[in-house]
Structure formats: structure tokens, C-alpha cells
Amino acid sequence: MQQIIIIGSGPAGFTAAIYAARAGLKPLLFASAIGIGGELMNTTEVENFPGFPEGIQGPELMQRMQEQAEKFGTEVVYDDITEVDFSGDVKRVTAGDGSVHEALTVIYATGSAYRKIGLADEDRLSGHGVSWCATCDGFFFREKTIAVVGGGDSAMEEATFLTRFADKVYVIHRRSELKASKIMQQRAFDNEKIEFVWDSEVSAIHGESEVEGVTLRSTVDGSERELAIQGLFVAIGNDPRTHLVHGKLDLTEEGTIAVEGRSSKTSVPGVFAAGDVTDPHYRQAITAAASGTVAALDAEAFLALLEQKNPELAAV
Ligand code: NAP
């Protein structure tokens, strides 16, 4: 049996692992079978993570976090967790290979997934003009013509932010009314670099090695037209990866895992949550890393208390 199992290998998971490992808790971290490193693996240059004034590539940052976690004794398992059982004092998680692992505490840091439009070329051109993160990639679109897909607060925020770099930003929305809050809408309407393309969805993305344009399909009459752009930002929402804990941990109205105040404590004692899976608003590498720290410290405190209350159970 483990003292701590960490599920997730983004900044939250690895930072929790660094802290837990340095506290001598020998964490076992499930890094996923294919998506190791989380969303930062989809990013190119990270320029806003403190300590890297020259910037660092997303995958390299994650590799360094992993190295740091392993250096202090984290065991990393390249498998997905497919089932969790948080009902008893001993928590059980089942991995993709069918093995069952037990721990006194679990840190749940599975992140969130950017919603995709669902086009084949979206993945192919990811990092080559297609992006899900304006704060990560906006800088690369200086003086370009680009588009943002979506009608919510994220799309308005991204479009407005991107006008700092791009000459022209189209906002492509499938309806003729925005979902975004009034203030965010107004900010976008007032920005002369932003042009709205209403009642339209992106039905194809073009470009050999970089985005060169999209086909827009009218949601009213199905007619199609081409739009030449060099970048496409997809901002159609974000889904926290909570499918394994539905009915097992309390969720917020926004669908993230509910935690107590500024702590990482979930509705189940001994289970802690960190990173994007708890965060509907900030979703930055540094805020996820910070919440991983909080989770490791909370788990450490929980284990220390358990040792006093139930030394037999705590003696793993
Ligand atoms: P959201 O509010 O769910 O909006 C998603 C938008 O994308 C909607 O306009 C939706 O269209 C559109 N959409 C969804 N699926 C689509 C698809 N397959 N194809 C085309 N369009 C699609 O998501 P969000 O904007 O990411 O915001 C999430 C939460 O974070 C919200 O609570 C928001 O208020 C908050 N947030 C706040 C701020 C801020 O205050 N600074 C900034 C960002 C986000 P429909 O309108 O037709 O449904």
C-alpha cells in the first residue's frame, strides 16, 4: 500500500509529486498511457512560467518537472487510471492494465481538456496555426489575420487579447447571439480589429504545413465560403476530466471538483484535488503547479493526523 497516489502528470500532478517525494512519502504517480505531461505538451514556447526568461518549450518544461519529481523518489507509471474506489479508509485505483493499487491518500489532478471542433485537420495543424490558448501562442501571430471560434467569455477574452498581436481577428460563432457576459461582449464589439462572423461554423481547415484558411458553413442555410486566415484559435469551452469521479466526489456547478476554500480537500477525506480539474477560471501552468503544492501539503497533514489517530492503518 502507498501513502500517496497521484493521478495526472500535468504541472499540478508533478508539483504535488515533487513536494510529496521531498517529504519522504514515495508517491506513485499515474502519468496516463498516452497523454503524459498534460496540456503543456500541446504548447510550443512557454514564456510566462517564472524562472525561464528566454522561454521554454512546453514538453521540455514537463520533462524537467518529471525529472525533478523522480529525483526525489516519485515512481511514475505510464498507464491510465480506469476506475477509482474512494469508499473506504484505504483508497483503491485500477490501472489500464487491470492492476489495483491502494493508498491512504489520493491526489486527483487529471486536468481539463480543451473542447475540439472535431475536424481531422485540427489535430494535424495543432501547433502550426491551430491553437487552444491565446496567452500561450498569441505572440506568434504578430501582424497576422486570424480567427477565434466560440461565443463565450473565453472566445471574447482570447479575441480581445489577440488584437494585441494580430492585425485582424475574426470571431466565428455558430449563432447570431453571444453567450459571453455583456461586459466581455462590449469590449469585443468596441475593438475595431475584431470582426464577427455570425451563424457560421468551421467545416474545414486548410494548409499543408501551416494554416492558410478555413471553410465556413452557414448554420442558417448550409452555404459555404472560404476565409483566408493564418491562425485559428478554438475557444469553445473546456471540460474538466471528472468522468471517473461522478457520484464519488462533489462537483461544482461549473463541473469542476469541489474543494474546501483554498485547500485541495474534496468531499471525501483523504482525497485531494488540484489543477485544472478544480479550476474553471485561471487554468495556467503556474496556478496548476501551485495547487499541486497545496494538495501535497494537505495530504501530508492528513497522513500526519492519521498517524496519531490510527497508527496501525498509517504504518504502511
Ligand atoms: P462556454 O461559456 O461554455 O462557451 C462556449 C462557447 O463555444 C459557446 O458560445 C458555444 O456556443 C460555443 N461552442 C460550444 N461547442 C461548440 C462547437 N462544437 N462548435 C462551435 N461553437 C461551439 O465556455 P468558455 O467561454 O470557455 O467559458 C467557460 C467558463 O469560464 C464560463 O463560466 C465563463 O464565464 C468563464 N470564463 C470567464 C472569463 C472571465 O470572466 N474573464 C474568461 C473566460 C471564461 P453556444 O453559445 O451556441 O452554446
Short mmCIF file of all heavy atoms in Angstrom, two decimals, residues 235-264:
data_model
loop_
_atom_site.label_atom_id
_atom_site.label_comp_id
_atom_site.label_asym_id
_atom_site.label_seq_id
_atom_site.Cartn_x
_atom_site.Cartn_y
_atom_site.Cartn_z
N ALA A 235 -11.95 28.27 -29.02
CA ALA A 235 -12.31 28.64 -27.64
C ALA A 235 -13.76 28.30 -27.40
O ALA A 235 -14.60 29.17 -27.16
CB ALA A 235 -12.03 30.13 -27.41
N ILE A 236 -14.07 27.02 -27.51
CA ILE A 236 -15.48 26.60 -27.42
C ILE A 236 -15.76 25.87 -26.10
O ILE A 236 -16.69 25.09 -26.00
CB ILE A 236 -15.88 25.75 -28.64
CG1 ILE A 236 -15.00 24.51 -28.78
CG2 ILE A 236 -15.81 26.59 -29.92
CD1 ILE A 236 -15.44 23.57 -29.90
N GLY A 237 -14.93 26.15 -25.11
CA GLY A 237 -15.17 25.57 -23.80
C GLY A 237 -14.12 24.53 -23.42
O GLY A 237 -13.29 24.15 -24.24
N ASN A 238 -14.22 24.13 -22.20
CA ASN A 238 -13.21 23.29 -21.59
C ASN A 238 -13.91 22.29 -20.70
O ASN A 238 -14.83 22.67 -19.98
CB ASN A 238 -12.41 24.23 -20.68
CG ASN A 238 -10.96 23.97 -20.75
OD1 ASN A 238 -10.49 23.07 -20.07
ND2 ASN A 238 -10.26 24.72 -21.56
N ASP A 239 -13.53 21.06 -20.76
CA ASP A 239 -14.20 20.08 -19.91
C ASP A 239 -13.23 19.49 -18.89
O ASP A 239 -12.27 18.83 -19.29
CB ASP A 239 -14.78 18.95 -20.77
CG ASP A 239 -15.86 19.47 -21.69
OD1 ASP A 239 -16.72 20.24 -21.21
OD2 ASP A 239 -15.84 19.13 -22.89
N PRO A 240 -13.48 19.73 -17.61
CA PRO A 240 -12.63 19.09 -16.60
C PRO A 240 -12.78 17.57 -16.70
O PRO A 240 -13.88 17.09 -16.95
CB PRO A 240 -13.17 19.62 -15.27
CG PRO A 240 -14.51 20.17 -15.57
CD PRO A 240 -14.55 20.54 -17.01
N ARG A 241 -11.67 16.87 -16.54
CA ARG A 241 -11.74 15.40 -16.69
C ARG A 241 -12.18 14.77 -15.37
O ARG A 241 -11.36 14.40 -14.54
CB ARG A 241 -10.37 14.86 -17.09
CG ARG A 241 -9.95 15.26 -18.48
CD ARG A 241 -8.84 14.35 -18.98
NE ARG A 241 -8.28 14.87 -20.22
CZ ARG A 241 -7.29 15.74 -20.28
NH1 ARG A 241 -6.71 16.17 -19.19
NH2 ARG A 241 -6.85 16.15 -21.45
N THR A 242 -13.50 14.68 -15.23
CA THR A 242 -14.06 14.21 -13.96
C THR A 242 -14.84 12.90 -14.11
O THR A 242 -15.47 12.46 -13.17
CB THR A 242 -15.04 15.26 -13.38
OG1 THR A 242 -15.99 15.56 -14.39
CG2 THR A 242 -14.33 16.53 -12.95
N HIS A 243 -14.79 12.31 -15.32
CA HIS A 243 -15.69 11.17 -15.58
C HIS A 243 -15.52 10.02 -14.58
O HIS A 243 -16.46 9.31 -14.29
CB HIS A 243 -15.53 10.68 -17.02
CG HIS A 243 -14.14 10.27 -17.39
ND1 HIS A 243 -13.15 11.18 -17.62
CD2 HIS A 243 -13.59 9.04 -17.53
CE1 HIS A 243 -12.03 10.53 -17.91
NE2 HIS A 243 -12.27 9.23 -17.85
N LEU A 244 -14.31 9.86 -14.01
CA LEU A 244 -14.10 8.73 -13.08
C LEU A 244 -14.69 8.99 -11.70
O LEU A 244 -14.84 8.06 -10.91
CB LEU A 244 -12.60 8.46 -12.91
CG LEU A 244 -11.82 7.93 -14.11
CD1 LEU A 244 -10.37 7.71 -13.73
CD2 LEU A 244 -12.44 6.64 -14.63
N VAL A 245 -14.98 10.24 -11.39
CA VAL A 245 -15.39 10.55 -10.01
C VAL A 245 -16.84 11.01 -9.90
O VAL A 245 -17.27 11.44 -8.83
CB VAL A 245 -14.45 11.60 -9.37
CG1 VAL A 245 -13.03 11.05 -9.30
CG2 VAL A 245 -14.47 12.93 -10.11
N HIS A 246 -17.58 10.92 -11.00
CA HIS A 246 -19.00 11.29 -10.92
C HIS A 246 -19.71 10.40 -9.89
O HIS A 246 -19.57 9.18 -9.90
CB HIS A 246 -19.69 11.14 -12.28
CG HIS A 246 -19.27 12.20 -13.25
ND1 HIS A 246 -19.70 12.27 -14.54
CD2 HIS A 246 -18.45 13.27 -13.08
CE1 HIS A 246 -19.16 13.32 -15.13
NE2 HIS A 246 -18.40 13.94 -14.26
N GLY A 247 -20.41 11.04 -8.98
CA GLY A 247 -21.10 10.28 -7.93
C GLY A 247 -20.18 9.88 -6.78
O GLY A 247 -20.62 9.30 -5.79
N LYS A 248 -18.88 10.17 -6.92
CA LYS A 248 -17.92 9.79 -5.86
C LYS A 248 -17.34 11.00 -5.16
O LYS A 248 -16.98 10.94 -3.99
CB LYS A 248 -16.80 8.95 -6.47
CG LYS A 248 -17.33 7.65 -7.05
CD LYS A 248 -16.27 6.82 -7.71
CE LYS A 248 -16.92 5.56 -8.26
NZ LYS A 248 -16.03 4.72 -9.02
N LEU A 249 -17.19 12.10 -5.90
CA LEU A 249 -16.73 13.36 -5.31
C LEU A 249 -17.74 14.44 -5.69
O LEU A 249 -18.30 14.41 -6.79
CB LEU A 249 -15.36 13.76 -5.88
CG LEU A 249 -14.17 12.83 -5.63
CD1 LEU A 249 -12.92 13.41 -6.31
CD2 LEU A 249 -13.91 12.63 -4.14
N ASP A 250 -17.95 15.40 -4.78
CA ASP A 250 -18.85 16.51 -5.11
C ASP A 250 -18.23 17.37 -6.21
O ASP A 250 -17.01 17.62 -6.18
CB ASP A 250 -19.09 17.40 -3.88
CG ASP A 250 -20.01 16.71 -2.87
OD1 ASP A 250 -20.53 15.63 -3.20
OD2 ASP A 250 -20.17 17.26 -1.76
N LEU A 251 -19.08 17.80 -7.14
CA LEU A 251 -18.63 18.70 -8.20
C LEU A 251 -19.27 20.07 -8.00
O LEU A 251 -20.29 20.20 -7.31
CB LEU A 251 -19.02 18.16 -9.57
CG LEU A 251 -18.50 16.76 -9.94
CD1 LEU A 251 -18.95 16.40 -11.36
CD2 LEU A 251 -16.98 16.68 -9.84
N THR A 252 -18.69 21.09 -8.61
CA THR A 252 -19.28 22.43 -8.56
C THR A 252 -20.29 22.55 -9.70
O THR A 252 -20.35 21.69 -10.58
CB THR A 252 -18.20 23.52 -8.76
OG1 THR A 252 -17.68 23.38 -10.09
CG2 THR A 252 -17.08 23.38 -7.75
N GLU A 253 -21.02 23.68 -9.71
CA GLU A 253 -21.96 23.93 -10.81
C GLU A 253 -21.25 23.98 -12.14
O GLU A 253 -21.81 23.67 -13.19
CB GLU A 253 -22.65 25.28 -10.59
CG GLU A 253 -23.92 25.16 -9.79
CD GLU A 253 -24.55 26.51 -9.54
OE1 GLU A 253 -24.20 27.49 -10.23
OE2 GLU A 253 -25.39 26.58 -8.62
N GLU A 254 -19.99 24.42 -12.10
CA GLU A 254 -19.22 24.52 -13.35
C GLU A 254 -18.65 23.19 -13.80
O GLU A 254 -18.00 23.10 -14.84
CB GLU A 254 -18.08 25.54 -13.18
CG GLU A 254 -18.59 26.98 -13.22
CD GLU A 254 -17.84 27.89 -12.29
OE1 GLU A 254 -17.47 27.46 -11.17
OE2 GLU A 254 -17.63 29.05 -12.67
N GLY A 255 -18.86 22.14 -12.97
CA GLY A 255 -18.42 20.80 -13.37
C GLY A 255 -17.02 20.42 -12.90
O GLY A 255 -16.53 19.34 -13.21
N THR A 256 -16.38 21.33 -12.16
CA THR A 256 -15.05 21.01 -11.62
C THR A 256 -15.22 20.30 -10.27
O THR A 256 -16.31 20.34 -9.68
CB THR A 256 -14.21 22.30 -11.43
OG1 THR A 256 -15.01 23.24 -10.70
CG2 THR A 256 -13.83 22.90 -12.76
N ILE A 257 -14.16 19.68 -9.78
CA ILE A 257 -14.25 19.01 -8.47
C ILE A 257 -14.29 20.09 -7.38
O ILE A 257 -13.48 21.02 -7.38
CB ILE A 257 -13.04 18.08 -8.25
CG1 ILE A 257 -13.09 16.93 -9.27
CG2 ILE A 257 -13.01 17.54 -6.82
CD1 ILE A 257 -11.92 15.97 -9.20
N ALA A 258 -15.26 19.97 -6.49
CA ALA A 258 -15.42 20.96 -5.42
C ALA A 258 -14.33 20.74 -4.36
O ALA A 258 -14.11 19.61 -3.92
CB ALA A 258 -16.80 20.82 -4.79
N VAL A 259 -13.65 21.82 -3.99
CA VAL A 259 -12.68 21.74 -2.91
C VAL A 259 -13.04 22.77 -1.84
O VAL A 259 -13.71 23.77 -2.12
CB VAL A 259 -11.22 21.98 -3.40
CG1 VAL A 259 -10.74 20.83 -4.25
CG2 VAL A 259 -11.08 23.30 -4.14
N GLU A 260 -12.57 22.49 -0.62
CA GLU A 260 -12.93 23.33 0.53
C GLU A 260 -12.06 24.58 0.54
O GLU A 260 -10.83 24.48 0.71
CB GLU A 260 -12.62 22.48 1.76
CG GLU A 260 -13.57 22.63 2.91
CD GLU A 260 -13.08 21.72 4.04
OE1 GLU A 260 -13.25 20.50 3.92
OE2 GLU A 260 -12.48 22.26 5.00
N GLY A 261 -12.65 25.74 0.35
CA GLY A 261 -11.92 27.01 0.41
C GLY A 261 -10.70 27.00 -0.49
O GLY A 261 -10.76 26.59 -1.64
N ARG A 262 -9.57 27.45 0.08
CA ARG A 262 -8.35 27.50 -0.73
C ARG A 262 -7.55 26.20 -0.63
O ARG A 262 -6.44 26.11 -1.11
CB ARG A 262 -7.49 28.68 -0.30
CG ARG A 262 -8.14 30.02 -0.59
CD ARG A 262 -7.20 31.16 -0.34
NE ARG A 262 -6.06 31.13 -1.26
CZ ARG A 262 -4.94 31.80 -1.06
NH1 ARG A 262 -4.79 32.52 0.02
NH2 ARG A 262 -3.95 31.73 -1.94
N SER A 263 -8.15 25.21 0.07
CA SER A 263 -7.44 23.94 0.22
C SER A 263 -7.71 23.06 -1.01
O SER A 263 -8.35 23.47 -1.96
CB SER A 263 -7.94 23.22 1.48
OG SER A 263 -9.15 22.53 1.19
N SER A 264 -7.20 21.83 -0.94
CA SER A 264 -7.44 20.86 -2.03
C SER A 264 -8.35 19.75 -1.55
O SER A 264 -8.48 18.73 -2.22
CB SER A 264 -6.10 20.28 -2.46
OG SER A 264 -5.55 19.55 -1.37
#
